Amino acid sequence: MSTQPPRTRLMLVTPPVLDPGAISFRLMQAFAGGDVAAVLLRLAPGDERSLTERVKALAPSVQAQNVALVVEASAQVASRGGADGVHITEGIEAIAEARSSLRQERIIGVGGLRSRHDAMDAGEAGVDYVMFGEPRPDGSLPPLPAVVERASWWAEIFETPCIAYAPDAASVPALVETGAEFLALGEWLFGDDVDIRAAVGAADAAITEFAARKGTR
């Protein structure tokens, strides 16, 4: 029996979405590039009904590709929109609230973690993943070495999966080396000047190369 850790998989993090049709086309291009496990859907501002309708419009096409759709929104929007889960950035207190309103099989992930202690509290609260390195509320990014250190520490010690957020293509190799279960490709992936299929393929190739060196299947 193999004792090697599972191969890192990709999550795609969208820019704030207003037009589900446009982002759906780009996602289908991305899925053709490599092994994508999940999409973290970020939504442009709107009322709860309009947000829910955007999730409803996008969920079937994503899920038809065997890709999970996680929404950075309220638990109600995620549930009513048919998403597979919710991504929480409002703090530890919001985890229990989300768990009480979502069925047990839905994913609850957490980001916006400011310290190791916050991450451990989230793990103890029973989340399905923790994310390190995503943009702060003001749009700034934590330093890449700090993200590498945090993801490496978590992946080595804890069973709860972690996601390392890649702010650009150049950061992908270093984050793959952390052994994080998932690598999140940020909204840079959706830029007009980016060949999204090729970029996903390059990230997938970096994962494959690392897995080969480690003997991961």
XYZ file of all heavy atoms in Angstrom, residues 12-21 23-24 27 39-59 69-83 85-87 89-90 187:
397
model
N -9.498 27.058 -9.116
C -9.475 28.315 -9.859
C -10.307 29.352 -9.102
O -11.443 29.077 -8.724
C -10.044 28.125 -11.263
C -9.504 26.942 -12.077
C -10.118 26.940 -13.475
C -7.992 26.963 -12.143
N -9.735 30.511 -8.867
C -10.408 31.584 -8.136
C -10.789 32.680 -9.122
O -9.913 33.322 -9.713
C -9.513 32.156 -7.023
C -10.259 33.231 -6.245
C -9.052 31.040 -6.081
N -12.071 32.899 -9.314
C -12.525 33.858 -10.317
C -12.401 35.291 -9.826
O -12.404 35.545 -8.615
C -13.996 33.615 -10.701
O -14.852 34.068 -9.633
C -14.265 32.155 -11.006
N -12.345 36.235 -10.753
C -12.570 37.630 -10.373
C -14.039 37.792 -9.999
O -14.847 36.867 -10.231
C -12.234 38.397 -11.659
C -12.429 37.403 -12.751
C -12.104 36.061 -12.181
N -14.441 38.924 -9.413
C -15.854 39.115 -9.078
C -16.727 39.014 -10.330
O -16.529 39.749 -11.292
C -15.886 40.521 -8.471
C -14.505 40.727 -7.936
C -13.597 40.032 -8.903
N -17.674 38.098 -10.304
C -18.443 37.753 -11.497
C -19.793 38.471 -11.521
O -20.556 38.420 -10.552
C -18.659 36.230 -11.568
C -19.681 35.866 -12.647
C -17.334 35.524 -11.823
N -20.063 39.122 -12.653
C -21.374 39.708 -12.912
C -22.102 38.951 -14.014
O -23.309 38.792 -13.981
C -21.222 41.185 -13.301
C -22.504 41.988 -13.494
C -23.321 42.032 -12.208
C -22.175 43.405 -13.970
N -21.331 38.454 -14.993
C -21.891 37.759 -16.153
C -21.489 36.289 -16.098
O -20.367 35.934 -16.477
C -21.380 38.397 -17.443
C -21.913 37.726 -18.695
O -22.650 36.723 -18.582
O -21.587 38.206 -19.803
N -22.384 35.396 -15.652
C -22.027 33.982 -15.545
C -21.684 33.359 -16.890
O -20.830 32.469 -16.966
C -23.287 33.333 -14.956
C -24.040 34.446 -14.319
C -23.740 35.665 -15.134
N -22.324 33.806 -17.958
C -22.053 33.230 -19.266
C -20.624 33.451 -19.713
O -19.978 32.536 -20.235
N -17.933 34.061 -17.832
C -16.951 33.337 -17.025
C -17.057 31.838 -17.277
O -16.064 31.109 -17.202
C -17.110 33.667 -15.518
C -15.798 33.371 -14.762
C -18.260 32.897 -14.895
C -14.693 34.331 -15.047
N -18.248 31.347 -17.613
C -18.417 29.937 -17.912
C -17.575 29.537 -19.115
O -16.921 28.486 -19.115
C -19.884 29.612 -18.177
O -20.051 28.253 -18.515
N -14.007 29.290 -18.040
C -13.775 28.116 -17.202
C -13.683 26.848 -18.038
O -12.855 25.970 -17.761
C -14.893 27.990 -16.161
C -14.847 29.001 -15.018
C -16.123 28.918 -14.185
C -13.619 28.797 -14.132
N -13.717 25.240 -8.308
C -13.746 26.660 -8.647
C -14.260 27.419 -7.430
O -15.271 27.043 -6.835
C -14.675 26.937 -9.852
C -14.900 28.429 -10.039
C -14.111 26.318 -11.121
N -13.524 28.452 -7.051
C -13.995 29.378 -6.026
C -14.587 30.575 -6.746
O -13.863 31.362 -7.366
C -12.854 29.799 -5.096
C -13.169 30.895 -4.074
C -14.404 30.570 -3.254
C -11.972 31.143 -3.170
N -15.897 30.688 -6.703
C -16.622 31.741 -7.403
C -16.768 32.959 -6.505
O -17.380 32.892 -5.441
C -18.004 31.232 -7.824
C -18.953 32.242 -8.458
C -18.399 32.766 -9.775
C -20.338 31.620 -8.650
N -16.181 34.047 -6.956
C -16.375 35.336 -6.279
C -17.402 36.128 -7.076
O -17.405 36.101 -8.310
C -15.048 36.081 -6.172
C -14.007 35.307 -5.377
C -12.640 35.991 -5.427
N -12.700 37.315 -4.838
C -12.195 38.409 -5.400
N -11.605 38.344 -6.587
N -12.289 39.573 -4.799
N -18.274 36.827 -6.393
C -19.401 37.494 -7.027
C -19.292 39.008 -6.902
O -18.949 39.527 -5.831
C -20.713 37.025 -6.395
C -21.027 35.533 -6.576
C -22.138 35.112 -5.630
C -21.403 35.241 -8.018
N -19.607 39.706 -7.991
C -19.716 41.160 -7.929
C -20.900 41.515 -7.031
O -21.827 40.720 -6.877
C -19.913 41.727 -9.333
N -20.883 42.708 -6.423
C -21.948 43.067 -5.482
C -23.339 42.984 -6.112
O -23.530 43.226 -7.309
C -21.596 44.502 -5.095
C -20.126 44.609 -5.308
C -19.839 43.755 -6.497
N -24.303 42.644 -5.281
C -25.691 42.569 -5.712
C -26.557 42.127 -4.555
O -26.047 41.757 -3.491
N -27.872 42.152 -4.752
C -28.749 41.671 -3.690
C -28.746 40.144 -3.678
O -28.229 39.492 -4.591
C -30.160 42.227 -3.840
C -30.819 41.855 -5.168
O -30.629 40.720 -5.647
O -31.528 42.710 -5.733
N -29.314 39.575 -2.638
C -29.226 38.130 -2.459
C -29.863 37.376 -3.622
O -29.341 36.345 -4.056
C -29.899 37.730 -1.145
C -29.733 36.250 -0.819
C -30.128 35.897 0.598
O -29.554 36.486 1.537
O -31.019 35.041 0.750
N -30.945 37.894 -4.151
C -31.612 37.201 -5.249
C -30.731 37.176 -6.505
O -30.596 36.128 -7.150
C -32.948 37.876 -5.566
C -33.716 37.187 -6.696
C -35.072 37.802 -6.887
N -35.797 37.163 -7.970
C -37.018 37.498 -8.342
N -37.680 38.463 -7.724
N -37.605 36.865 -9.336
N -30.124 38.312 -6.831
C -29.293 38.352 -8.035
C -28.041 37.496 -7.871
O -27.599 36.831 -8.818
C -28.915 39.799 -8.380
O -28.021 40.341 -7.430
N -27.461 37.491 -6.673
C -26.301 36.638 -6.424
C -26.666 35.165 -6.580
O -25.929 34.389 -7.197
C -25.751 36.892 -5.025
C -25.233 38.296 -4.710
C -24.750 38.372 -3.269
C -24.130 38.716 -5.661
N -27.809 34.794 -6.027
C -28.266 33.410 -6.129
C -28.486 33.009 -7.576
O -28.123 31.900 -7.997
C -29.563 33.223 -5.326
O -29.328 33.561 -3.955
C -30.053 31.783 -5.406
N -29.069 33.910 -8.363
C -29.328 33.598 -9.764
C -28.024 33.396 -10.543
O -27.945 32.551 -11.437
C -30.168 34.708 -10.407
C -31.607 34.758 -9.918
C -32.346 33.443 -10.133
O -32.228 32.856 -11.233
O -33.012 32.993 -9.187
N -26.989 34.165 -10.197
C -25.699 33.975 -10.863
C -25.109 32.609 -10.548
O -24.548 31.945 -11.418
C -24.724 35.081 -10.447
C -24.924 36.395 -11.185
C -23.943 37.432 -10.696
N -24.635 38.584 -10.135
C -24.077 39.501 -9.373
N -22.789 39.400 -9.063
N -24.776 40.519 -8.915
N -25.228 32.200 -9.293
C -24.726 30.873 -8.914
C -25.522 29.791 -9.641
O -24.947 28.838 -10.180
C -24.809 30.682 -7.386
C -24.338 29.280 -7.003
C -23.975 31.732 -6.666
N -26.836 29.930 -9.686
C -27.685 28.950 -10.385
C -27.300 28.844 -11.859
O -27.333 27.752 -12.443
C -29.151 29.354 -10.274
C -29.799 29.059 -8.941
C -31.272 29.428 -8.994
C -31.983 29.088 -7.696
N -33.421 29.460 -7.753
N -26.945 29.964 -12.461
C -26.615 29.966 -13.885
C -25.297 29.264 -14.174
O -25.109 28.707 -15.258
C -26.571 31.404 -14.404
N -24.395 29.286 -13.208
C -23.052 28.754 -13.441
C -22.866 27.336 -12.923
O -22.109 26.557 -13.502
C -22.019 29.682 -12.791
C -20.551 29.417 -13.118
C -20.300 29.541 -14.621
C -19.650 30.380 -12.347
N -23.545 26.993 -11.850
C -23.288 25.720 -11.179
C -23.404 24.499 -12.093
O -22.502 23.644 -12.086
C -24.202 25.566 -9.962
N -18.083 23.522 -7.134
C -18.258 24.976 -7.145
C -18.449 25.462 -5.714
O -19.429 25.113 -5.048
C -19.465 25.375 -7.995
C -19.700 26.884 -8.116
C -18.579 27.551 -8.924
C -21.050 27.189 -8.744
N -17.490 26.254 -5.244
C -17.533 26.853 -3.912
C -17.709 28.352 -4.103
O -17.065 28.956 -4.963
C -16.247 26.540 -3.123
C -16.293 27.151 -1.737
C -16.029 25.030 -3.035
N -18.585 28.960 -3.310
C -18.952 30.353 -3.517
C -18.514 31.204 -2.328
O -18.740 30.839 -1.168
C -20.474 30.506 -3.718
C -20.844 31.946 -4.001
C -20.954 29.611 -4.855
N -17.882 32.318 -2.631
C -17.563 33.293 -1.594
C -18.772 34.209 -1.436
O -18.881 35.251 -2.069
C -16.321 34.099 -1.964
C -15.833 35.006 -0.832
C -14.543 35.728 -1.175
O -13.612 35.070 -1.665
O -14.491 36.949 -0.966
N -19.706 33.773 -0.614
C -20.976 34.472 -0.414
C -21.595 33.908 0.856
O -20.969 33.110 1.567
C -21.904 34.273 -1.616
N -22.815 34.293 1.126
C -23.492 33.755 2.298
C -23.845 32.290 2.078
O -23.939 31.810 0.938
C -24.774 34.550 2.577
O -25.736 34.301 1.571
N -24.039 31.582 3.172
C -24.443 30.187 3.074
C -25.769 30.052 2.341
O -25.990 29.084 1.605
C -24.532 29.579 4.471
N -26.662 31.035 2.516
C -27.957 30.981 1.853
C -27.806 31.078 0.340
O -28.458 30.338 -0.410
C -28.854 32.108 2.369
C -29.341 31.949 3.796
C -28.266 32.241 4.829
O -27.262 32.899 4.526
N -28.475 31.766 6.044
N -26.946 31.973 -0.124
C -26.713 32.105 -1.564
C -26.105 30.822 -2.122
O -26.515 30.327 -3.181
C -25.806 33.314 -1.863
C -25.298 33.288 -3.302
C -26.560 34.618 -1.605
N -25.137 30.267 -1.424
C -24.510 29.038 -1.883
C -25.510 27.897 -1.962
O -25.565 27.158 -2.952
C -23.354 28.669 -0.964
N -26.318 27.743 -0.923
C -27.271 26.647 -0.866
C -28.375 26.803 -1.906
O -28.664 25.885 -2.677
C -27.875 26.570 0.541
O -28.838 25.548 0.624
N -28.991 27.970 -1.956
C -30.096 28.189 -2.881
C -29.633 28.201 -4.336
O -30.400 27.879 -5.236
C -30.801 29.497 -2.543
C -31.522 29.466 -1.197
C -32.006 30.834 -0.778
N -32.597 30.801 0.559
C -32.920 31.875 1.272
N -32.704 33.097 0.762
N -33.448 31.748 2.473
N -28.367 28.562 -4.545
C -27.836 28.571 -5.900
C -27.380 27.216 -6.390
O -27.052 27.059 -7.566
N -27.353 26.229 -5.506
C -26.934 24.886 -5.897
C -25.441 24.675 -5.902
O -24.945 23.724 -6.525
N -24.687 25.515 -5.211
C -23.240 25.349 -5.129
C -22.892 24.170 -4.219
O -23.710 23.701 -3.429
C -22.583 26.622 -4.612
N -20.495 24.345 -1.958
C -20.017 24.796 -0.673
C -19.829 26.296 -0.627
O -20.151 27.015 -1.577
N -19.295 26.752 0.497
C -19.122 28.172 0.744
C -17.718 28.429 1.259
O -17.137 27.607 1.981
C -20.196 28.682 1.748
C -20.034 28.012 3.103
C -20.155 30.193 1.888
N -17.160 29.577 0.861
C -15.837 30.007 1.305
C -16.027 31.193 2.243
O -16.588 32.222 1.850
C -14.995 30.415 0.092
C -13.614 30.880 0.438
N -12.587 30.010 0.750
C -13.085 32.136 0.513
C -11.490 30.708 0.989
N -11.763 31.988 0.862
N -14.708 34.166 4.823
C -13.583 35.048 5.144
C -13.909 35.979 6.315
O -13.118 36.863 6.625
C -13.192 35.897 3.919
O -14.321 36.679 3.502
C -12.735 35.023 2.759
N -15.058 35.777 6.944
C -15.516 36.704 7.979
C -15.065 36.337 9.379
O -15.446 36.993 10.346
C -17.059 36.798 7.980
C -17.641 37.412 6.734
C -17.795 36.385 5.617
O -17.624 35.165 5.885
O -18.073 36.795 4.477
N -7.152 35.348 -9.690
C -7.912 35.953 -10.780
C -7.027 36.442 -11.926
O -7.528 36.702 -13.024
C -8.788 37.090 -10.269
C -8.068 38.280 -9.691
C -9.075 39.344 -9.244
O -9.616 39.231 -8.129
O -9.313 40.277 -10.033
